[in-house]
Amino acid sequence: MPREKRVFVCNNCEYSSPKWLGVCPSCNEWHTFEEKIEVKKQKKKKNKADISRSGDDDDAVLLSSVTSDEHDRLPTGINELDRVLGGGIVKGSFLLLGGDPGIGKSTLMLQLSKMQPDWPILYVAGEESPSQIKQRAARLQMKGEHLYIYSNSNIDSVIAQARKIKPALLVIDSIQTVYSSNLTSLPGSVQQVRECSAMLQQLAKKEGITTLMIGHVTKQGDIAGPRILEHMVDTVLHFEGNQSQFHRLLRSVKNRFGPAQEVGVFEMKQDGLFEVSNPSELFLSDLDTTVSGNCITCIMEGSRPILVEVQALVTASSYSTPQRTANGFDQRRLSLLIAVLEKRGGISFVGQDVYLNIAGGLKISDPAADLAVVAALSSSVKDQPIQKRAVFVGEVGLGGEIRSVRYRDQRIREAKKMGIKTVVAPPGQLSDDAGIDLIERTYISQIDKTKT
Ligand code: TYD
Ligand code: MG
């Protein structure tokens, strides 16, 4: 006889409790508990003989006997997107695209349809009406002859439409708006998101319909919904950027069919997203190295070197506790580099406010930018510009030593490509140093000697 058990489950994080709670002790959300009836089947007693017969009849296979089929890739024609996907969208794959509201997720999908006007694309619009999409399409100057807009958010109807149209790509905008009528919880709840994505996963895997879900993100920048969502999909893409800036970064966080952490760069303009094939140009456009505290570094985003401008401002403080403010750079790393400069470089920051800014609204976490931060800080303290247009790359250790960095060659080549002739870096081999004035430094106390 099955036994019934009453439980209360948080519809945000699925924490379960035998009694109703106002606040979930796991995720701290209010009023998220719903009553659920669990039916427990009576456990059959197993004896040892049963164990050998349990499970299904599928046999394990030897890896050497498994044949792997080459993935069928469809280049989207948007080069920056293809780069992130690893050469194109894999047929029958299941993807998730997350990002802040208004960053351009829906626009990117419409532009994909513009690039591939012959692909039948089924666009499930849960957030906008067809007329709003039409307006946007007009802004993007596209007709959408093979773009089907579907405004029904019931997952069963969506799947039925997909089976009927057999699109080259099914776009769900967004997974938080579709729902299954089998569940009582609201669209966007953990159960709904999980159930609907599981059904879409089946559709992608069993019927080979390439499916891309757009997902909301939480304040912390993670994809909203159950954690399991990211495990279910083959590829997780994040669309990032600063609303006040025009550039957008498309990053692959997970990719079963290509490189992870690869980055595509776009610029949002009046008439859509534009690819930026040379991001260094974008981030250095307003560079002025005649001002003290300005300095250039080269960071790696995926396999891509990008030149960015680091700006430091050190001024006498009017506060009892001097300020340390970093924009686009880790604040604690900034404090650490200040301490290293004080102890190993003999520069005092006592009674000084320190502001650090990465121009263009970019957020950087590459340790190779340390040396540029140190150079910018020391230039600002002394109020002496770094007169040579130079790129600084190197990780700074607590002893004041400049450590080697990954992809040193590629960074130097990028500087050369952008017409910068001086590179300050830790010592190392360079395959082709023609036209580059490479200044090798091992300690931060030596970096001032780069001035001419
Ligand atoms: P959208 O694609 O709706 O963002 P998401 O789907 O991620 O929420 O992007 C909307 C923003 O982009 C909105 O602020 C308007 C702006 N935008 C442009 O600047 N240019 C354009 O051509 C388009 C279509 C949108
Ligand atoms: Mg949208």
Side-chain angles (χ1 to χ4, degrees):
M1 265 290 286
R3 275 191 302 135
E4 279 190 4
K5 188 183 164 202
R6 277 167 191 278
V7 284
F8 292 86
V9 179
C10 166
N11 63 28
N12 186 43
C13 71
E14 304 230 312
Y15 177 86
S16 76
S17 149
K19 57 180 192 216
W20 188 86
L21 299 170
V23 190
C24 173
S26 168
C27 67
N28 296 328
E29 287 293 322
W30 286 79
H31 306 303
T32 51
F33 276 83
E34 278 177 11
E35 186 175 359
K36 245 184 153 185
I37 295 177
E38 278 184 353
V39 181
K40 278 199 168 176
K41 285 202 183 124
Q42 293 273 318
K43 275 188 196 158
K44 264 196 211 161
K45 276 188 189 160
K46 275 184 186 168
N47 58 30
K48 277 187 185 165
D50 278 342
I51 292 170
S52 63
R53 270 184 264 122
S54 64
D56 41 39
D57 296 332
D58 283 349
D59 286 331
V61 289
L62 279 170
L63 181 64
S64 58
S65 67
V66 177
T67 53
S68 79
D69 0 294
E70 237 333 278
H71 303 301
D72 209 354
R73 277 186 200 276
L74 300 170
T76 62
I78 302 178
N79 293 334
E80 293 294 304
L81 175 61
D82 287 341
R83 158 200 287 275
V84 174
L85 291 170
I89 200 160
V90 171
K91 237 177 148 185
S93 61
F94 189 36
L95 304 100
L96 178 62
L97 169 65
D100 284 335
I103 211 73
K105 303 179 292 295
S106 310
T107 307
L108 182 65
M109 287 302 110
L110 277 192
Q111 278 190 233
L112 197 161
S113 160
K114 183 185 172 185
M115 283 306 281
Q116 299 296 342
D118 298 332
W119 286 13
I121 295 183
L122 176 57
Y123 189 96
V124 178
E127 309 208 326
E128 288 154 313
S129 68
S131 73
Q132 279 171 316
I133 296 171
K134 181 87 190 169
Q135 277 169 16
R136 186 193 307 237
R139 204 168 163 183
L140 300 173
Q141 292 170 349
M142 58 177 282
K143 290 200 187 82
E145 276 150 342
H146 290 94
L147 177 64
Y148 298 87
I149 309 287
Y150 192 59
S151 296
N152 188 337
S153 299
N154 184 312
I155 191 73
D156 293 318
S157 317
V158 167
I159 289 174
Q161 275 297 307
R163 285 195 174 123
K164 198 165 127 196
I165 294 173
K166 297 207 169 26
L169 178 66
L170 166 65
V171 179
I172 309 289
D173 191 359
S174 65
I175 185 63
Q176 277 81 12
T177 54
V178 288
Y179 67 92
S180 159
S181 42
N182 297 336
L183 300 174
T184 50
S185 49
L186 292 170
S189 65
V190 172
Q191 290 98 325
Q192 286 284 10
V193 170
R194 188 191 347 220
E195 169 89 3
C196 296
S197 6
M199 289 168 84
L200 292 167
Q201 185 188 30
Q202 290 285 318
L203 185 75
K205 298 294 153 203
K206 295 229 165 99
E207 303 185 31
I209 295 180
T210 315
T211 304
L212 185 142
M213 305 185 287
I214 290 178
H216 294 173
V217 291
T218 60
K219 276 191 208 127
Q220 289 76 33
D222 300 323
I223 296 198
R227 232 22 253 172
I228 196 170
L229 199 59
E230 291 180 43
H231 295 283
M232 281 162 89
V233 295
D234 301 311
T235 303
V236 181
L237 303 177
H238 271 233
F239 210 16
E240 312 167 347
N242 192 327
Q243 293 280 358
S244 57
Q245 304 281 343
F246 298 112
H247 72 266
R248 303 281 184 264
L249 298 186
L250 181 68
R251 199 185 292 276
S252 61
V253 181
K254 162 184 171 177
N255 197 352
R256 278 190 191 142
F257 305 118
Q261 295 305 334
E262 193 51 81
V263 160
V265 186
F266 294 88
E267 210 175 344
M268 180 64 97
K269 294 195 181 158
Q270 269 309 310
D271 46 352
L273 285 162
F274 285 77
E275 295 180 48
V276 179
S277 49
N278 189 357
S280 297
E281 216 165 55
L282 177 74
F283 294 114
L284 286 191
S285 54
D286 300 321
L287 176 72
D288 182 359
T289 42
T290 59
V291 177
S292 69
N294 287 3
C295 175
I296 314 166
T297 188
C298 185
I299 55 161
M300 293 299 291
E301 284 286 3
S303 64
R304 200 170 204 185
I306 303 179
L307 296 186
V308 290
E309 187 187 346
V310 175
Q311 301 176 318
L313 182 68
V314 183
T315 62
S317 178
S318 49
Y319 301 93
S320 54
T321 316
Q323 306 287 297
R324 306 278 182 254
T325 307
N327 203 356
F329 192 79
D330 183 34
Q331 182 115 12
R332 276 174 301 180
R333 187 95 197 145
L334 171 64
S335 301
L336 184 147
L337 294 173
I338 292 172
V340 173
L341 259 178
E342 287 198 315
K343 182 95 179 171
R344 315 282 176 202
I347 299 174
S348 170
F349 288 86
V350 174
Q352 306 272 1
D353 286 338
V354 178
Y355 301 96
L356 186 78
N357 183 41
I358 308 301
L362 209 64
K363 286 196 181 71
I364 63 175
S365 56
D366 188 339
D370 285 357
L371 189 60
V373 172
V374 165
L377 288 172
S378 103
S379 153
S380 183
V381 168
K382 296 172 187 163
D383 202 16
Q384 287 171 2
I386 300 166
Q387 285 162 11
K388 246 186 188 174
R389 236 169 102 89
V391 168
F392 289 76
V393 286
E395 182 179 345
V396 173
L398 292 183
E401 77 281 13
I402 301 169
R403 294 166 168 253
S404 56
V405 292
R406 292 181 314 138
Y407 306 111
R408 181 172 165 278
D409 249 32
Q410 266 153 286
R411 297 180 206 251
I412 296 173
R413 250 183 273 136
E414 179 71 11
K416 196 169 148 185
K417 196 175 109 194
M418 292 301 295
I420 292 172
K421 299 206 170 57
T422 312
V423 176
V424 184
Q429 285 285 319
L430 188 62
S431 52
D432 170 23
D433 58 1
I436 275 284
D437 176 14
L438 183 64
I439 302 174
E440 295 183 337
R441 292 285 176 258
T442 42
Y443 288 100
I444 55 163
S445 49
Q446 306 166 337
I447 57 169
D448 274 357
K449 295 184 190 138
T450 57
K451 294 208 181 100
T452 51

